[in-house]
């Protein structure tokens, strides 16, 4: 599949763009110091041309992405790449202002970029690397990330220096838990319209959907949502519950939270300002996480999100898993998937002679057939002892993970249990 990637450039033949007044507001910031200037900032007439040559990548052309594209283009950035695999639908038009009715069904990235400027060629990806001798991040490979997100009337923005500041994984504890309804409520005592929709998707779909027993729900399929909507509506009428509509049904299935245009605009402006600061050093950076909430009045707060010393993504410290010697490799696999949100991890280790030894891998059918029997073997049978280092790869991780096994004997575990009791 070709990823729609588009670059936007300011039109050099546009009188407004080349007018001395066009960037006067930016020049005031860049060509003279201010009370909030970064100590390292040196005012210069050369900073604006530098901005024009700087390459920016925007990931996502939705409500926030449209605002960002507009903000960054008006700040003097001219080399802007934007990527989005989604297409435009009718529900986008109330807040994603770069799109019009005639654009429905077209790729978001292409339409957004054409609205601002014109097309780009390929996208270059630069990976973060560490110095082999010092195990420190190589500054020349650091690409700062400005991350923003909105959820209804709430939003956040943060600045991430890969390998130096807290990454997204470091702060996963800040995210609210996924909404889950008790099974007994869904089956016997539905009270809300979402209970009726969840009953269809969780309990009714597996046995009664007309699309095939092993077919999973596609939240973008009109046929799937229509069938779920009709079954949910029947159940709602039985329990005298109102509020079931097609759009509501799709929102519950896809876990859609209504977007608010003003929240998108505010969070986008915060994010764009941080990009401008990163590029110019004209003002001290945010340190490093800002939250915004205007449900009841306006509340905003900035704090420093701390880097986790044992973060499985940005830390070089190996992770540790504690198991019993009678535990099976399947338990190791299940623990990795649950603890680190992996999808299909592959596990290797080194034998006594330092040679690579594959314990489980599904990268090819041949590897899976050869290594699958290991899942039912105990750690003892696989000669995995206390302190064994595993290398784990998964498509959700850019780099392999180092995992140390802490293996206890059956006798030790029983003794601990007795003492605890």
């Amino acid at each position: 599949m070709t990823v729609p990637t588009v670059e936007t450039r300011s039109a050099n033949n546009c009188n407004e763009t080349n007018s001395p007044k066009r960037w006067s507001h930016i020049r005031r910031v860049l060509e003279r110091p201010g009370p909030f200037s970064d100590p390292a900032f040196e005012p210069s007439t050369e900073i604006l041309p530098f901005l024009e040559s700087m390459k920016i990548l925007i990931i996502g052309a939705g409500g926030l992405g449209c605002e960002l594209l507009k903000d960054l283009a008006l700040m003097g950035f001219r080399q802007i790449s934007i990527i989005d695999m989604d297409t435009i639908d009718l529900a986008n038009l109330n807040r994603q202002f770069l799109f019009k009715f005639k654009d429905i069904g077209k790729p978001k990235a292409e339409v957004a970029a054409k609205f601002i400027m014109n097309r780009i060629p390929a996208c270059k990806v630069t990976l973060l690397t560490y110095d082999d001798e010092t195990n420190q991040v190589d500054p020349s490979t650091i690409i700062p990330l400005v991350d923003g997100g909105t959820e209804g009337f709430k939003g956040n923005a943060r600045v991430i220096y890969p390998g130096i500041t807290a990454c997204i994984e470091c702060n996963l504890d800040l995210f609210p838990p996924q909404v889950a309804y008790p099974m007994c409520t869904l089956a016997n005592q539905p009270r809300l319209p979402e209970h009726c929709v969840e009953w269809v998707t969780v309990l009714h779909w597996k046995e009664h959907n007309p699309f095939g027993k092993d077919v999973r729900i596609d939240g973008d399929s009109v046929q799937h949502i229509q069938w779920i909507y009709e079954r949910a509506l029947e159940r709602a009428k039985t329990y005298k519950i109102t509020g079931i509509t097609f759009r509501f049904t799709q929102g519950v299935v896809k876990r859609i939270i209504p977007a608010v245009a003003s929240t998108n605009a505010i969070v986008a402006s915060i994010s764009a300002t941080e990009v401008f600061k990163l590029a110019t050093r004209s003002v001290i950076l945010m340190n490093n996480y800002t939250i915004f909430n205007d449900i009841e009045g306006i509340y905003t707060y900035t704090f420093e999100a701390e880097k986790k010393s044992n973060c499985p993504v940005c830390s070089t410290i190996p992770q540790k898993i504690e198991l019993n010697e009678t535990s099976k490799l399947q338990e190791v696999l299940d623990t990795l998937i649950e603890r680190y949100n992996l999808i299909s991890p592959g596990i290797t280790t080194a034998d006594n002679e330092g040679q690579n030894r594959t314990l489980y891998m599904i990268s090819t059918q041949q590897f899976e057939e050869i290594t699958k029997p290991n899942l039912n073997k105990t750690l003892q049978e696989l000669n995995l002892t206390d302190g064994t280092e595993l290398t784990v790869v998964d498509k959700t991780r850019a780099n392999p993970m180092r995992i140390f096994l802490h293996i206890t004997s059956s006798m030790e575990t029983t003794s601990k249990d007795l003492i605890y009791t």
Side-chain angles (χ1 to χ4, degrees):
M1 178 182 292
T2 302
V3 180
T5 313
V6 189
E7 181 180 273
T8 63
R9 296 185 178 88
S10 296
N12 291 328
N13 60 352
C14 176
N15 292 331
E16 183 185 1
T17 300
N18 292 326
S19 169
K21 296 181 179 180
R22 181 64 183 83
W23 303 110
S24 59
H25 59 300
I26 299 296
R27 292 186 184 280
R28 288 193 185 98
V29 177
L30 301 180
E31 297 178 7
R32 63 185 183 184
F36 300 105
S37 296
D38 188 296
F41 174 63
E42 295 183 6
S44 172
T45 57
E46 299 299 320
I47 301 179
L48 184 57
F50 172 71
L51 288 186
E52 294 174 350
S53 64
M54 180 172 288
K55 294 182 179 180
I56 301 288
L57 172 64
I58 300 176
I59 301 174
L64 203 57
C66 285
E67 291 281 355
L68 271 171
L69 185 56
K70 175 260 296 180
D71 289 349
L72 292 172
L74 292 174
M75 280 181 158
F77 295 98
R78 296 197 187 186
Q79 305 293 329
I80 304 176
S81 301
I82 184 165
I83 180 171
D84 195 309
M85 298 298 294
D86 202 3
T87 56
I88 301 163
D89 60 44
L90 181 63
N92 299 146
L93 303 185
N94 70 327
R95 63 194 182 280
Q96 298 173 21
F97 61 90
L98 299 184
F99 311 138
K100 301 183 183 301
F101 188 82
K102 64 181 178 60
D103 298 321
I104 292 176
K106 297 179 182 178
K108 287 184 177 180
E110 290 183 5
V111 176
K114 287 177 181 178
F115 187 96
I116 300 292
M117 294 295 160
N118 61 28
R119 61 179 295 278
I120 84 163
C123 176
K124 180 181 179 182
V125 179
T126 305
L127 300 179
L128 180 72
T129 60
Y130 285 80
D131 186 276
D132 293 333
E133 296 181 0
T134 64
N135 205 30
Q136 298 296 315
V137 64
D138 181 355
S140 65
T141 67
I142 295 175
I143 299 179
L145 168 68
V146 178
D147 175 60
T150 61
E151 185 178 274
F153 289 97
K154 297 181 289 185
N156 69 80
R158 54 185 158 178
V159 178
I160 298 174
Y161 272 103
I164 296 178
T165 63
C167 71
I168 293 175
E169 185 85 13
C170 289
N171 303 136
L172 284 183
D173 294 343
L174 297 175
F175 288 81
Q178 292 291 322
V179 176
Y181 302 104
M183 294 294 287
C184 58
T185 300
L186 300 181
N188 304 313
Q189 298 176 322
R191 299 182 300 275
L192 302 171
E194 47 264 49
H195 291 165
C196 300
V197 177
E198 286 288 302
W199 174 79
V200 179
T201 60
V202 175
L203 300 175
H204 199 64
W205 175 272
K206 288 184 180 179
E207 299 298 329
H208 302 283
N209 86 81
F211 308 102
K213 188 174 181 180
D214 297 325
V215 175
R216 295 185 178 182
I217 297 173
D218 180 358
D220 294 314
S221 168
V222 174
Q223 291 79 11
H224 286 195
I225 299 300
Q226 182 66 31
W227 188 88
I228 295 170
Y229 160 64
E230 292 172 358
R231 305 291 88 73
L233 189 60
E234 291 173 4
R235 187 166 178 80
K237 289 178 179 178
T238 302
Y239 288 90
K240 296 181 173 57
I241 297 172
T242 59
I244 301 287
T245 64
F246 181 91
R247 178 170 291 185
F248 174 83
T249 301
Q250 188 173 41
V252 174
V253 171
K254 297 180 68 175
R255 297 290 190 265
I256 295 174
I257 298 173
V260 178
S262 59
T263 309
N264 286 337
I266 291 168
V267 173
S269 67
I270 295 172
S271 302
T273 300
E274 293 307 312
V275 172
F276 183 81
K277 290 194 226 173
L278 280 165
T280 65
R281 288 295 183 185
S282 57
V283 182
I284 297 173
L285 286 169
M286 172 205 306
N287 188 26
N288 52 24
Y289 198 117
T290 292
I291 57 176
F292 172 82
N293 189 331
D294 63 346
I295 294 177
E296 298 178 1
I298 296 178
Y299 173 80
T300 182
Y301 178 65
T302 300
F303 64 95
E304 182 179 2
E306 295 185 3
K307 189 174 185 292
K308 272 189 177 180
S309 60
N310 62 341
C311 175
V313 172
C314 67
S315 172
T316 57
I317 299 176
Q319 307 297 303
K320 183 189 290 185
I321 292 179
E322 185 170 341
L323 294 164
N324 187 275
E325 62 185 4
T326 59
S327 299
K328 296 181 179 180
L329 186 64
Q330 181 68 58
E331 294 180 50
V332 176
L333 190 72
D334 293 341
T335 301
L336 290 170
I337 292 173
E338 181 180 357
R339 185 179 298 180
Y340 303 113
N341 297 313
L342 306 184
I343 296 176
S344 53
I347 308 172
T348 62
T349 189
D351 59 22
N352 295 331
E353 298 179 356
Q355 298 298 316
N356 190 55
R357 175 185 166 208
T358 302
L359 297 173
Y360 180 68
M361 191 71 66
I362 61 170
S363 57
T364 65
Q365 185 177 356
Q366 182 181 9
F367 263 122
E368 185 176 13
E369 290 176 355
I370 294 173
T371 59
K372 193 171 183 178
N374 286 342
L375 294 177
N376 292 320
K377 294 181 181 179
T378 66
L379 302 183
Q380 192 174 34
E381 291 172 335
L382 292 169
N383 296 320
L384 299 177
T385 58
D386 186 43
T388 297
E389 181 178 342
L390 305 179
T391 300
V392 178
V393 295
D394 189 78
K395 60 184 179 182
T396 63
R397 306 281 165 165
N399 300 307
M401 295 177 61
R402 296 171 61 201
I403 305 289
F404 277 114
L405 294 178
H406 178 50
I407 302 175
T408 58
S409 66
S410 301
M411 184 79 68
E412 183 181 352
T413 304
T414 305
S415 174
K416 287 181 179 179
D417 291 341
L418 288 173
I419 293 173
Y420 177 79
T421 302

